[in-house]
Amino acid sequence: MGDAAGISAELAARVLADEDVRAAADILVLGDARVLAQGAATAGVTLDVATITEGQSLPTQRDKPVLLDLGHCDPADVPLGEISEAGGRFATENFRRALAMAAGGEVDAVCFTPFNKAAMRLVTPGYEDEIGFTAEAIGFHGVAKEFNVLEGLWNARVTSHVPLKDVASLLSKDGILGNLRLTNDALKASGIARPRIAVAGLNPHAGDHGNFGREEIDIIAPAVEAGKAEQIGCDGPFPADTVFVRAKRGDFDAVLTMYHDQGQIAMKLIGFDSGVTLMGGFPFPICTAAHGTAYDIAGRGIAHPGAMRNAILLAARMVARENAPA
């Protein structure tokens, strides 16, 4: 469970009441029974979950979701709709515990209802994003990236949570090629046998043959050619203002963009309430809704569960494919 000050508890309750979610996987919820009860009341749903506490074993018969009640958050201590240390601490402790269980092989995947980065920083001042937190928590030293997934269309990005003024200096042929490899692998893990990846340019009109910048000529195009040489189905660089039009009509399975908002704006316009964020590259799937904590509607019972539902179903599909007999 994510930040208790936002819509996280309501979303958790809504997806736990969803028959498709319950059928897709054995669900273990990490949080506090009082917070989940508040979420269920807000959502207007009745939950059928088995509750255990610290030190108890998981039920051997998994006919319903299981709540591990950590008893660490009284909803009365978390002001709804506000950034708070209490909300951030609840999310941080749940996430860290879930990651440890996945790293130890106790669970196959981790999904979380939305966090608020400012609240997380009140607890962990060095908190930048979920990628860095996860890597530190499980001792991971490889390459991991965020992917946004919406209606069969994926968005990957070369740079992410960095100032826009730094983007051009952070681009390199090897960096883009590494992201092409990671994107190709993630798409295959999700069930796409022969991924088609479009690569966006950095500059207006993809540089217009060097008139508006040379990054496309000197860095991005060579990386695309190197990807093709490795049998990755990639093409580009394409102008960023038109490539999503082609991808949305089915020409590509994914678009690799050069910076955060280049892809995020397009994806959230296509479907804000159903997009998923996948943290790819880690030893296990980590998924969440692509939207945030929505403090402005917390407690009103109107949070849309579509993105969170899709996140859990994507994680379940990836695990099922990984565990399928060869």
Side-chain angles (χ1 to χ4, degrees):
M1 298 177 68
D3 191 338
I7 60 171
S8 284
E10 179 185 347
L11 289 179
R14 289 189 184 279
V15 294
L16 288 172
D18 187 300
E19 291 185 4
D20 290 339
V21 169
R22 294 164 69 103
D26 293 328
I27 307 293
L28 172 65
V29 187
L30 301 184
D32 189 298
R34 296 167 293 179
V35 177
L36 184 59
Q38 182 183 64
T42 300
V45 299
T46 300
L47 296 181
D48 182 18
V49 300
T51 301
I52 60 174
T53 56
E54 192 81 73
Q56 288 184 297
S57 300
L58 287 170
T60 55
Q61 186 174 357
R62 308 287 181 84
D63 58 342
K64 62 181 68 176
V66 178
L67 168 66
L68 174 54
D69 181 10
L70 298 174
H72 60 329
C73 184
D74 184 343
D77 296 333
V78 185
L80 279 180
E82 298 179 17
I83 295 170
S84 67
E85 182 178 350
R89 187 172 302 282
F90 179 69
T92 300
E93 292 179 2
N94 295 337
F95 192 35
R96 194 183 299 277
R97 171 68 73 93
L99 293 172
M101 294 184 74
E106 297 176 79
V107 297
D108 299 303
V110 173
C111 297
F112 57 90
T113 50
F115 298 159
N116 179 280
K117 289 180 173 59
M120 302 290 262
R121 289 190 196 100
L122 292 176
V123 181
T124 307
Y127 188 94
E128 181 176 287
D129 57 22
E130 287 72 59
I131 294 282
F133 183 92
T134 299
E136 181 178 351
I138 68 173
F140 179 79
H141 301 291
V143 178
K145 292 283 184 176
E146 283 189 0
F147 298 93
N148 288 107
V149 186
L150 174 66
E151 298 174 4
L153 174 60
W154 290 55
N155 171 223
R157 49 188 185 262
V158 177
T159 68
S160 188
H161 298 116
V162 299
L164 189 58
K165 66 181 178 62
D166 296 337
V167 169
S169 66
L170 293 172
L171 300 181
S172 68
K173 174 185 171 182
D174 288 344
I176 295 170
L177 178 58
N179 277 276
L180 281 170
R181 291 172 181 149
L182 187 59
T183 302
N184 190 57
D185 291 344
L187 287 164
K188 287 183 175 180
S190 75
I192 300 173
R194 301 185 62 171
R196 300 164 300 160
I197 305 169
V199 180
L202 172 68
N203 299 297
H205 304 292
D208 188 36
H209 304 285
N211 288 324
F212 307 142
R214 291 193 54 86
E215 285 82 4
E216 287 77 11
I217 296 170
D218 297 336
I219 300 172
I220 304 174
V224 171
E225 292 306 310
K228 290 179 179 178
E230 296 185 8
Q231 306 303 309
I232 296 174
C234 56
D235 204 359
F238 298 109
D241 60 352
T242 58
V243 68
F244 278 93
V245 176
R246 294 186 58 186
K248 189 174 184 296
R249 74 187 183 199
D251 292 359
F252 305 105
D253 301 301
V255 179
L256 176 63
T257 52
M258 296 299 112
Y259 58 92
H260 185 278
D261 286 6
Q262 196 178 42
Q264 287 284 78
I265 291 171
M267 294 292 282
K268 290 186 178 181
L269 277 171
I270 292 170
F272 183 78
D273 288 328
S274 55
V276 172
T277 297
L278 163 71
M279 293 161 55
F282 290 113
F284 45 87
I286 306 173
C287 296
T288 187
H291 58 70
T293 47
Y295 285 152
D296 57 320
I297 63 169
R300 294 172 57 189
I302 59 174
H304 195 291
M308 200 61 230
R309 178 182 187 274
N310 290 343
I312 297 174
L313 295 179
L314 174 61
R317 287 198 305 272
M318 294 181 73
V319 170
R321 183 174 177 81
E322 176 70 19
N323 293 341

